[in-house]
Coordinates of all heavy atoms in Angstrom, one line a residue:
M143 N -4.0 2.0 0.3 CA -2.9 2.0 1.2 C -3.4 2.2 2.6 O -4.2 3.1 2.8 CB -1.9 3.1 0.8 CG -0.8 3.3 1.8 SD 0.4 4.6 1.3 CE 1.8 3.6 1.2
I144 N -2.9 1.4 3.5 CA -3.3 1.5 4.9 C -2.5 2.6 5.6 O -1.2 2.5 5.5 CB -3.2 0.1 5.6 CG1 -4.1 -0.9 5.0 CG2 -3.4 0.3 7.1 CD1 -3.9 -2.3 5.6
I145 N -3.1 3.5 6.2 CA -2.4 4.6 6.9 C -2.3 4.2 8.4 O -3.3 4.2 9.1 CB -3.2 5.9 6.7 CG1 -3.2 6.3 5.3 CG2 -2.4 7.0 7.5 CD1 -4.5 6.2 4.7
D146 N -1.1 3.8 8.8 CA -0.9 3.5 10.2 C 0.2 4.4 10.7 O 0.7 5.4 10.1 CB -0.5 2.0 10.3 CG 0.8 1.7 9.5 OD1 1.4 2.6 9.0 OD2 1.1 0.5 9.3
Q147 N 0.7 4.2 11.9 CA 1.7 5.0 12.5 C 3.0 5.0 11.7 O 3.7 6.0 11.7 CB 2.0 4.5 14.0 CG 1.1 5.1 15.0 CD 1.6 4.8 16.4 OE1 1.9 3.6 16.6 NE2 1.6 5.7 17.3
H148 N 3.3 3.9 11.1 CA 4.5 3.8 10.3 C 4.5 4.8 9.1 O 5.4 5.5 8.9 CB 4.7 2.4 9.8 CG 6.0 2.1 9.0 ND1 7.2 2.2 9.6 CD2 6.2 1.9 7.7 CE1 8.1 2.0 8.7 NE2 7.5 1.8 7.5
V149 N 3.4 4.8 8.4 CA 3.2 5.7 7.2 C 3.2 7.1 7.7 O 3.9 8.0 7.1 CB 2.0 5.3 6.4 CG1 1.7 6.4 5.4 CG2 2.0 3.9 5.8
E150 N 2.5 7.4 8.8 CA 2.5 8.7 9.3 C 3.9 9.2 9.7 O 4.3 10.3 9.5 CB 1.5 8.8 10.5 CG 1.3 10.1 11.1 CD 0.2 10.1 12.2 OE1 -0.4 9.1 12.4 OE2 0.1 11.2 12.8
S151 N 4.6 8.3 10.4 CA 6.0 8.6 10.8 C 6.9 8.9 9.5 O 7.7 9.8 9.5 CB 6.6 7.5 11.6 OG 7.9 7.7 11.9
E152 N 6.7 8.1 8.5 CA 7.5 8.3 7.3 C 7.2 9.7 6.6 O 8.1 10.3 6.1 CB 7.2 7.2 6.3 CG 7.9 5.9 6.6 CD 7.6 4.8 5.6 OE1 7.3 5.2 4.4 OE2 7.8 3.6 5.9
L153 N 5.9 10.1 6.7 CA 5.5 11.4 6.2 C 6.2 12.5 7.0 O 6.7 13.4 6.4 CB 4.0 11.5 6.2 CG 3.3 11.0 5.0 CD1 1.8 10.9 5.3 CD2 3.5 12.0 3.8
H154 N 6.1 12.4 8.3 CA 6.8 13.4 9.1 C 8.3 13.5 8.8 O 8.8 14.6 8.7 CB 6.6 13.1 10.6 CG 5.3 13.4 11.2 ND1 4.8 14.7 11.3 CD2 4.2 12.6 11.5 CE1 3.6 14.7 11.8 NE2 3.2 13.5 11.9
Q155 N 8.9 12.4 8.7 CA 10.3 12.3 8.4 C 10.6 13.0 7.0 O 11.6 13.7 6.9 CB 10.8 10.9 8.4 CG 12.3 10.8 8.3 CD 12.8 9.3 8.6 OE1 12.0 8.5 8.9 NE2 14.1 9.1 8.4
L156 N 9.8 12.7 6.1 CA 10.0 13.3 4.7 C 9.9 14.8 4.8 O 10.7 15.5 4.3 CB 8.9 12.7 3.8 CG 8.9 13.4 2.4 CD1 10.1 13.0 1.6 CD2 7.6 13.0 1.7
L157 N 8.8 15.3 5.5 CA 8.6 16.7 5.6 C 9.8 17.4 6.3 O 10.2 18.5 5.9 CB 7.4 17.0 6.4 CG 6.1 16.7 5.7 CD1 4.9 16.7 6.7 CD2 5.8 17.5 4.5
I158 N 10.4 16.8 7.2 CA 11.5 17.4 8.0 C 12.9 17.2 7.3 O 13.6 18.2 7.2 CB 11.6 16.8 9.4 CG1 10.3 17.2 10.2 CG2 12.8 17.3 10.2 CD1 10.1 16.5 11.5
E159 N 13.1 16.0 6.7 CA 14.5 15.7 6.3 C 14.7 15.9 4.8 O 15.9 16.0 4.4 CB 14.8 14.3 6.7 CG 14.9 14.1 8.2 CD 15.2 12.7 8.6 OE1 15.4 11.8 7.7 OE2 15.3 12.5 9.8
D160 N 13.7 15.9 4.0 CA 13.9 16.1 2.5 C 14.4 17.5 2.3 O 13.8 18.5 2.7 CB 12.6 15.9 1.8 CG 12.8 15.9 0.3 OD1 13.1 17.0 -0.3 OD2 12.7 14.8 -0.3
A161 N 15.6 17.7 1.6 CA 16.2 19.0 1.5 C 15.4 19.9 0.7 O 15.5 21.2 0.9 CB 17.6 18.8 0.7
R162 N 14.5 19.4 -0.2 CA 13.6 20.3 -0.9 C 12.5 21.0 -0.1 O 12.0 22.0 -0.4 CB 13.0 19.6 -2.1 CG 13.9 19.0 -3.1 CD 13.3 18.1 -4.1 NE 12.9 16.9 -3.3 CZ 12.2 15.9 -3.9 NH1 11.8 16.0 -5.1 NH2 11.9 14.8 -3.2
I163 N 12.2 20.3 1.0 CA 11.1 20.7 1.9 C 11.6 21.3 3.2 O 11.5 22.5 3.5 CB 10.1 19.6 2.2 CG1 9.6 19.0 0.9 CG2 9.0 20.1 3.1 CD1 8.7 17.8 1.1
A164 N 12.3 20.5 4.0 CA 12.8 20.8 5.3 C 11.8 21.7 6.1 O 12.1 22.8 6.6 CB 14.1 21.6 5.2
E165 N 10.6 21.2 6.3 CA 9.5 21.9 6.9 C 9.1 21.2 8.2 O 8.6 20.1 8.2 CB 8.3 22.0 5.9 CG 7.2 22.8 6.4 CD 7.5 24.2 6.6 OE1 8.0 24.9 5.7 OE2 7.4 24.7 7.8
Q166 N 9.2 21.9 9.3 CA 8.7 21.4 10.6 C 7.4 21.9 11.0 O 6.8 21.3 11.9 CB 9.7 21.8 11.7 CG 11.1 21.2 11.5 CD 12.1 21.5 12.6 OE1 11.7 22.1 13.6 NE2 13.3 21.2 12.4
G167 N 6.8 22.8 10.3 CA 5.5 23.4 10.7 C 4.3 22.8 10.1 O 3.2 23.3 10.2
I168 N 4.5 21.7 9.4 CA 3.3 21.0 8.7 C 3.0 19.8 9.5 O 3.8 19.0 9.9 CB 3.7 20.6 7.3 CG1 4.1 21.8 6.5 CG2 2.5 19.9 6.6 CD1 3.0 22.9 6.3
R169 N 1.7 19.7 9.9 CA 1.2 18.5 10.6 C 0.6 17.5 9.6 O 0.0 17.9 8.6 CB 0.1 18.9 11.6 CG 0.7 19.7 12.8 CD -0.4 20.1 13.8 NE -1.5 20.9 13.2 CZ -2.7 20.5 13.3 NH1 -3.1 19.4 13.8 NH2 -3.6 21.3 12.7
V170 N 0.7 16.2 10.0 CA 0.0 15.2 9.2 C -1.1 14.7 10.0 O -1.0 14.2 11.2 CB 1.0 14.0 8.9 CG1 0.3 12.9 8.2 CG2 2.2 14.5 8.1
V171 N -2.4 14.8 9.5 CA -3.6 14.3 10.2 C -4.2 13.2 9.4 O -4.5 13.4 8.2 CB -4.6 15.5 10.3 CG1 -5.8 15.1 11.0 CG2 -3.9 16.7 11.0
R172 N -4.5 12.1 10.0 CA -5.1 11.0 9.4 C -6.6 11.3 9.1 O -7.3 11.9 10.0 CB -5.1 9.7 10.2 CG -3.7 9.1 10.2 CD -3.8 7.7 10.9 NE -2.7 7.7 11.9 CZ -2.5 6.7 12.7 NH1 -3.3 5.6 12.7 NH2 -1.5 6.7 13.6
T173 N -7.1 11.0 8.0 CA -8.5 11.1 7.6 C -9.1 9.8 7.3 O -8.3 8.8 7.2 CB -8.7 12.1 6.5 OG1 -8.1 11.6 5.3 CG2 -8.1 13.5 6.8
E174 N -10.4 9.7 7.0 CA -11.0 8.5 6.7 C -10.4 7.8 5.4 O -10.4 6.6 5.3 CB -12.5 8.6 6.5 CG -13.2 8.9 7.8 CD -14.7 9.1 7.6 OE1 -15.2 8.7 6.5 OE2 -15.4 9.6 8.5
D175 N -10.0 8.7 4.5 CA -9.6 8.2 3.2 C -8.1 8.4 2.9 O -7.7 8.2 1.7 CB -10.5 8.7 2.1 CG -10.4 10.2 1.9 OD1 -10.0 10.9 2.9 OD2 -10.7 10.8 0.9
G176 N -7.3 8.9 3.8 CA -5.9 9.2 3.6 C -5.4 10.1 4.7 O -5.6 9.8 5.8
V177 N -4.6 11.1 4.3 CA -4.1 12.0 5.2 C -4.3 13.5 4.7 O -4.5 13.7 3.5 CB -2.5 11.8 5.5 CG1 -2.3 10.5 6.1 CG2 -1.8 12.0 4.2
S178 N -4.2 14.4 5.7 CA -4.3 15.8 5.4 C -3.1 16.5 5.9 O -2.6 16.2 7.0 CB -5.6 16.4 6.0 OG -5.7 17.7 5.7
L179 N -2.5 17.3 5.0 CA -1.3 18.1 5.5 C -1.9 19.5 5.9 O -2.6 20.1 5.1 CB -0.3 18.3 4.3 CG 0.2 17.0 3.7 CD1 1.1 17.3 2.5 CD2 0.9 16.2 4.7
V180 N -1.5 19.9 7.1 CA -2.1 21.1 7.7 C -1.0 22.0 8.3 O -0.1 21.5 8.9 CB -3.1 20.7 8.9 CG1 -3.7 21.9 9.5 CG2 -4.2 19.7 8.4
G181 N -1.1 23.2 8.0 CA -0.1 24.2 8.5 C -0.1 25.4 7.6 O -1.0 25.6 6.8
E182 N 0.9 26.2 7.7 CA 1.1 27.4 6.9 C 2.5 27.5 6.4 O 3.5 27.2 7.1 CB 0.7 28.7 7.7 CG -0.7 28.8 8.0 CD -1.1 30.1 8.6 OE1 -0.2 30.9 9.0 OE2 -2.3 30.4 8.8
V183 N 2.6 28.0 5.2 CA 3.9 28.3 4.6 C 3.9 29.7 4.0 O 2.8 30.3 3.9 CB 4.3 27.3 3.5 CG1 4.5 25.9 4.1 CG2 3.3 27.2 2.4
E184 N 5.1 30.2 3.6 CA 5.2 31.6 3.1 C 4.7 31.8 1.7 O 4.6 33.0 1.3 CB 6.6 32.1 3.4 CG 7.7 31.4 2.5 CD 8.2 30.1 3.1 OE1 7.7 29.7 4.2 OE2 9.1 29.5 2.5
S185 N 4.6 30.8 0.9 CA 4.2 31.1 -0.5 C 3.4 29.9 -1.1 O 3.6 28.8 -0.7 CB 5.5 31.3 -1.4 OG 6.2 30.2 -1.5
A186 N 2.7 30.2 -2.2 CA 2.0 29.2 -2.9 C 2.9 28.2 -3.6 O 2.6 27.0 -3.6 CB 1.0 29.8 -3.9
E187 N 4.1 28.7 -4.0 CA 5.1 27.8 -4.7 C 5.6 26.8 -3.7 O 5.8 25.6 -4.0 CB 6.2 28.7 -5.2 CG 5.8 29.5 -6.4 CD 5.2 30.9 -6.0 OE1 5.2 31.2 -4.7 OE2 4.6 31.5 -6.8
R188 N 5.8 27.2 -2.4 CA 6.3 26.3 -1.4 C 5.3 25.3 -1.1 O 5.6 24.1 -0.9 CB 6.7 27.1 -0.2 CG 7.3 26.2 0.9 CD 8.5 26.8 1.6 NE 9.0 26.0 2.7 CZ 9.8 25.0 2.5 NH1 10.2 24.7 1.3 NH2 10.2 24.3 3.5
R189 N 4.0 25.7 -0.9 CA 2.9 24.8 -0.7 C 2.8 23.7 -1.8 O 2.7 22.5 -1.5 CB 1.6 25.5 -0.5 CG 0.4 24.6 -0.3 CD -0.9 25.4 -0.5 NE -0.9 25.9 -1.9 CZ -1.6 27.1 -2.2 NH1 -2.3 27.7 -1.2 NH2 -1.6 27.5 -3.4
D190 N 2.9 24.2 -3.0 CA 2.8 23.3 -4.2 C 3.9 22.3 -4.2 O 3.8 21.1 -4.5 CB 2.7 24.1 -5.5 CG 1.4 24.9 -5.6 OD1 0.5 24.6 -4.8 OD2 1.4 25.8 -6.4
L191 N 5.2 22.8 -3.9 CA 6.3 21.9 -3.8 C 6.2 20.8 -2.8 O 6.4 19.6 -3.0 CB 7.6 22.7 -3.6 CG 8.9 21.9 -3.4 CD1 9.2 21.1 -4.7 CD2 10.0 22.7 -3.0
I192 N 5.7 21.2 -1.6 CA 5.5 20.2 -0.5 C 4.5 19.1 -0.9 O 4.8 17.9 -0.8 CB 5.0 20.9 0.8 CG1 6.2 21.8 1.3 CG2 4.5 19.9 1.8 CD1 5.7 22.7 2.4
C193 N 3.4 19.6 -1.5 CA 2.4 18.6 -1.9 C 2.9 17.7 -3.1 O 2.6 16.5 -3.1 CB 1.1 19.3 -2.4 SG 0.3 20.2 -1.0
Q194 N 3.7 18.3 -4.0 CA 4.2 17.5 -5.1 C 5.2 16.4 -4.6 O 5.1 15.3 -5.0 CB 5.0 18.5 -6.0 CG 5.7 17.7 -7.2 CD 6.5 18.7 -8.0 OE1 6.3 19.9 -8.0 NE2 7.5 18.2 -8.7
V195 N 6.1 16.8 -3.7 CA 7.1 15.9 -3.1 C 6.4 14.7 -2.4 O 6.7 13.6 -2.5 CB 8.1 16.6 -2.2 CG1 9.0 15.6 -1.5 CG2 9.0 17.5 -3.1
V196 N 5.3 15.0 -1.6 CA 4.6 14.0 -0.9 C 3.9 13.1 -1.9 O 3.9 11.9 -1.7 CB 3.6 14.6 0.1 CG1 2.7 13.6 0.7 CG2 4.3 15.4 1.2
H197 N 3.3 13.6 -2.9 CA 2.6 12.8 -3.9 C 3.6 11.9 -4.7 O 3.3 10.8 -5.0 CB 1.8 13.7 -4.9 CG 0.5 14.2 -4.4 ND1 -0.6 13.4 -4.1 CD2 0.1 15.4 -4.1 CE1 -1.6 14.1 -3.6 NE2 -1.2 15.4 -3.6
E198 N 4.8 12.4 -5.0 CA 5.8 11.6 -5.7 C 6.3 10.5 -4.8 O 6.5 9.4 -5.3 CB 7.0 12.5 -6.0 CG 6.7 13.5 -7.2 CD 7.9 14.5 -7.4 OE1 8.9 14.4 -6.7 OE2 7.7 15.3 -8.3
T199 N 6.5 10.8 -3.5 CA 7.0 9.8 -2.6 C 6.0 8.7 -2.2 O 6.3 7.6 -2.0 CB 7.6 10.5 -1.3 OG1 8.5 11.5 -1.7 CG2 8.3 9.5 -0.4
F200 N 4.7 9.1 -2.1 CA 3.6 8.2 -1.7 C 2.5 8.3 -2.7 O 1.5 8.8 -2.5 CB 3.1 8.6 -0.3 CG 4.0 8.5 0.8 CD1 4.8 9.6 1.2 CD2 4.2 7.4 1.5 CE1 5.7 9.6 2.2 CE2 5.1 7.3 2.6 CZ 5.9 8.4 2.9
P201 N 2.8 7.7 -3.9 CA 1.8 7.9 -5.0 C 0.5 7.2 -4.8 O -0.5 7.6 -5.3 CB 2.5 7.2 -6.2 CG 3.5 6.3 -5.6 CD 3.9 6.9 -4.3
D202 N 0.4 6.2 -3.9 CA -0.8 5.5 -3.7 C -1.6 6.0 -2.5 O -2.7 5.5 -2.1 CB -0.6 4.0 -3.4 CG 0.0 3.3 -4.7 OD1 -0.3 3.8 -5.8 OD2 0.8 2.4 -4.5
L203 N -1.1 7.1 -1.8 CA -1.7 7.6 -0.6 C -2.5 8.8 -1.0 O -2.0 9.8 -1.5 CB -0.6 8.0 0.4 CG -1.1 8.6 1.7 CD1 -1.8 7.6 2.5 CD2 0.2 9.1 2.5
P204 N -3.8 8.8 -0.7 CA -4.7 10.0 -0.9 C -4.2 11.1 0.1 O -4.3 10.9 1.3 CB -6.1 9.5 -0.6 CG -6.0 8.0 -0.6 CD -4.6 7.7 -0.2
V205 N -3.8 12.2 -0.5 CA -3.3 13.3 0.3 C -4.1 14.6 0.0 O -4.3 15.0 -1.1 CB -1.8 13.6 0.0 CG1 -1.3 14.8 0.8 CG2 -0.9 12.4 0.3
H206 N -4.6 15.2 1.1 CA -5.3 16.4 1.0 C -4.4 17.5 1.5 O -3.9 17.5 2.6 CB -6.6 16.4 1.8 CG -7.5 15.3 1.5 ND1 -8.3 15.3 0.4 CD2 -7.7 14.1 2.1 CE1 -9.0 14.1 0.4 NE2 -8.6 13.4 1.4
C207 N -4.1 18.4 0.6 CA -3.1 19.5 0.9 C -3.9 20.7 1.4 O -4.3 21.6 0.7 CB -2.3 19.8 -0.4 SG -0.8 20.7 0.0
N208 N -4.0 20.8 2.8 CA -4.7 21.9 3.4 C -3.7 22.8 4.0 O -3.8 23.2 5.2 CB -5.7 21.3 4.5 CG -6.8 20.5 3.8 OD1 -7.3 20.9 2.8 ND2 -7.1 19.4 4.4
I209 N -2.7 23.2 3.3 CA -1.7 24.1 3.7 C -2.1 25.5 3.4 O -2.3 25.8 2.2 CB -0.3 23.7 3.2 CG1 0.0 22.3 3.6 CG2 0.7 24.7 3.6 CD1 1.3 21.8 2.9
G210 N -2.2 26.4 4.3 CA -2.5 27.8 4.1 C -1.2 28.6 3.9 O -0.1 28.2 4.1
L211 N -1.5 29.9 3.5 CA -0.4 30.8 3.3 C -0.3 31.8 4.5 O -1.3 32.3 4.9 CB -0.5 31.6 2.0 CG -0.6 30.7 0.8 CD1 -0.8 31.6 -0.5 CD2 0.6 29.9 0.6
T212 N 0.9 32.0 5.0 CA 1.1 33.0 6.0 C 1.0 34.4 5.4 O 1.5 34.7 4.4 CB 2.6 32.9 6.6 OG1 2.7 31.5 7.1 CG2 2.8 33.8 7.7
R213 N 0.2 35.2 6.1 CA -0.1 36.6 5.6 C 1.0 37.5 6.2 O 1.2 37.5 7.4 CB -1.4 37.0 6.1 CG -2.5 36.3 5.4 CD -3.9 36.9 5.6 NE -4.8 36.1 4.8 CZ -6.0 35.8 5.3 NH1 -6.4 36.2 6.5 NH2 -6.8 35.1 4.5
V214 N 1.7 38.1 5.3 CA 2.8 39.0 5.7 C 2.5 40.4 5.1 O 2.4 40.5 3.9 CB 4.2 38.5 5.2 CG1 5.3 39.5 5.7 CG2 4.5 37.1 5.7
N215 N 2.2 41.3 6.0 CA 1.9 42.7 5.6 C 2.9 43.7 6.2 O 3.5 43.4 7.2 CB 0.5 43.1 6.0 CG -0.6 42.2 5.5 OD1 -0.5 41.8 4.3 ND2 -1.5 41.8 6.3
E216 N 3.1 44.8 5.5 CA 3.9 45.8 6.1 C 3.2 46.4 7.3 O 2.0 46.5 7.3 CB 4.1 46.9 5.0 CG 4.9 46.4 3.8 CD 5.2 47.5 2.8 OE1 5.0 48.7 3.1 OE2 5.5 47.2 1.7
P217 N 4.0 46.9 8.2 CA 3.3 47.6 9.4 C 2.5 48.8 9.0 O 2.9 49.5 8.1 CB 4.5 48.0 10.2 CG 5.7 47.3 9.7 CD 5.4 46.9 8.3
Q218 N 1.4 49.0 9.7 CA 0.5 50.1 9.4 C 1.0 51.4 10.0 O 0.8 52.4 9.4 CB -0.9 49.8 9.9 CG -1.6 48.6 9.3 CD -1.9 48.8 7.8 OE1 -2.2 49.9 7.4 NE2 -1.7 47.7 7.0
D219 N 1.7 51.3 11.1 CA 2.1 52.5 11.8 C 3.7 52.5 11.7 O 4.3 51.5 11.7 CB 1.7 52.5 13.2 CG 0.2 52.5 13.4 OD1 -0.5 53.1 12.5 OD2 -0.3 51.8 14.3
V220 N 4.2 53.7 11.8 CA 5.6 53.9 11.8 C 6.0 53.9 13.3 O 5.4 54.6 14.1 CB 6.0 55.3 11.2 CG1 7.5 55.5 11.3 CG2 5.6 55.3 9.7
E221 N 7.1 53.1 13.6 CA 7.5 53.1 14.9 C 8.5 54.2 15.2 O 9.4 54.5 14.5 CB 8.3 51.7 15.2 CG 8.8 51.6 16.5 CD 9.6 50.3 16.7 OE1 9.7 49.5 15.8 OE2 10.0 50.0 17.9
E222 N 8.2 55.0 16.2 CA 9.0 56.1 16.6 C 10.0 55.7 17.7 O 9.6 55.1 18.7 CB 8.2 57.3 17.0 CG 7.3 57.8 15.9 CD 6.5 59.1 16.4 OE1 7.1 59.8 17.2 OE2 5.4 59.2 15.9
L223 N 11.3 56.1 17.5 CA 12.3 55.7 18.5 C 12.7 56.9 19.3 O 12.7 58.0 18.9 CB 13.5 55.2 17.8 CG 13.3 53.9 17.0 CD1 14.5 53.5 16.3 CD2 12.8 52.8 17.9

């Protein structure tokens, strides 16, 4: 599959408009052999869902899922008011 601006645009639209995903924080980066999805999400389940939906929608497109997980930790110090 040839990765051009049209395919890249369709991927962006899918990430933003698909009700299962609705993700604006993921970038699509063209690579030599396909595309790479780059960004961060809050859980591994969400990352896996995004990659699954993209693979289902574009089965012939080599997709590298380089989506990291946002680290959320409890505050170390107590805030005094």
Side-chain angles (χ1 to χ4, degrees):
M143 173 178 239
I144 297 174
I145 297 106
D146 57 12
Q147 273 187 313
H148 181 71
V149 172
E150 189 175 349
S151 176
E152 285 182 19
L153 272 166
H154 282 289
Q155 188 172 356
L156 173 70
L157 291 169
I158 293 169
E159 296 180 358
D160 189 289
R162 299 169 290 177
I163 301 173
E165 183 63 58
Q166 295 182 10
I168 303 297
R169 293 182 299 122
V170 178
V171 178
R172 286 188 230 178
T173 63
E174 290 181 14
D175 63 339
V177 296
S178 181
L179 302 178
V180 180
E182 289 188 350
V183 295
E184 65 276 1
S185 70
E187 292 81 14
R188 181 137 177 85
R189 176 192 59 210
D190 295 344
L191 175 63
I192 292 168
C193 294
Q194 175 187 340
V195 170
V196 170
H197 282 293
E198 288 173 359
T199 307
F200 296 92
D202 297 330
L203 179 64
V205 177
H206 304 282
C207 197
N208 295 319
I209 300 173
L211 301 180
T212 302
R213 294 189 177 139
V214 180
N215 299 320
E216 294 181 18
Q218 298 294 326
D219 300 323
V220 176
E221 181 179 2
E222 294 184 34
L223 299 175

